[in-house]
């Protein structure tokens, strides 16, 4: 697999700790970045998800959205 093979809205499936908390978001297609009422960000606020893992997720998410370019 390459980063270019992953759809940005499916990236969280590759982060089991993030996927675990993704089921109760307000929006069905939540990517757990800037959406309101995100259950992943709520879990992050409660220290149920590592901030380092979440930051890595966001870095990859933005890289995918930017066509593989580092941000």
């Amino acid at each position: 697999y390459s980063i270019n093979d992953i759809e940005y809205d499916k990236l969280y499936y590759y982060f089991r700790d993030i996927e675990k908390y993704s089921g109760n978001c307000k929006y069905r297609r939540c990517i757990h970045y800037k959406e309101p009422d995100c259950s992943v960000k709520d879990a992050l606020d409660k220290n149920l998800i590592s901030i380092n893992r979440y930051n890595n997720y966001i870095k990859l998410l933005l890289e995918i959205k930017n066509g593989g370019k580092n941000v």
Side-chain angles (χ1 to χ4, degrees):
Y1 284 102
S2 161
I3 192 75
N4 296 325
D5 296 329
I6 301 172
E7 296 175 49
Y8 76 91
D9 61 341
K10 304 284 191 273
L11 177 64
Y12 68 93
Y13 289 121
Y14 295 86
F15 288 77
R16 290 180 188 218
D17 48 345
I18 292 176
E19 181 190 15
K20 178 180 176 180
Y21 296 101
S22 67
N24 294 317
C25 296
K26 179 178 181 178
Y27 299 101
R28 192 170 148 250
R29 294 187 54 100
C30 185
I31 59 172
H32 320 298
Y33 182 41
K34 293 185 177 183
E35 301 88 352
D37 300 320
C38 173
S39 58
V40 169
K41 291 189 293 181
D42 184 47
L44 183 66
D45 289 342
K46 294 176 181 173
N47 294 316
L48 299 172
I49 298 173
S50 161
I51 187 68
N52 291 331
R53 288 279 292 164
Y54 182 76
N55 287 340
N56 286 335
Y57 165 79
I58 295 301
K59 181 179 178 185
L60 288 173
L61 179 74
L62 295 176
E63 186 174 331
I64 292 167
K65 287 186 81 167
N66 289 318
K69 297 175 186 162
N70 289 331
V71 287

